[in-house]
């Protein structure tokens, strides 16, 4: 049996984000679409269209990556 801690899973999720990615915060949809600016020590800095720059602790706040449909 393999056990993975929640902390490990959240760190793996951080690796899915890169500067320039478009994201949303599903718990704060009124923030609008955000653009990832940086990822440092588990903190994702995102510039949201309606509320400006937010520093997100990815262990506590969910971000969902938007995928361009070409």
């Amino acid at each position: 049996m393999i056990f993975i801690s929640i902390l490990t899973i959240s760190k793996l999720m951080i690796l899915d984000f890169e500067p320039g990615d478009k994201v949303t915060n599903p718990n704060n949809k009124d923030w609008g679409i955000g653009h990832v600016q940086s990822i440092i020590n588990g903190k994702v800095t995102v510039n949201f269209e309606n509320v400006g720059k937010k520093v997100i602790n990815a262990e506590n706040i969910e971000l969902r990556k938007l995928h361009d449909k070409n």
Side-chain angles (χ1 to χ4, degrees), residues 19-48:
D21 284 345
K22 292 180 184 178
V23 297
T24 61
N25 178 332
N27 294 322
N28 293 291
K29 292 180 182 179
D30 58 321
W31 289 6
I33 295 173
H35 290 88
V36 174
Q37 295 185 327
S38 66
I39 303 102
I40 301 171
N41 296 327
K43 306 285 191 284
V44 183
T45 302
V46 181
N47 191 15
F48 287 96

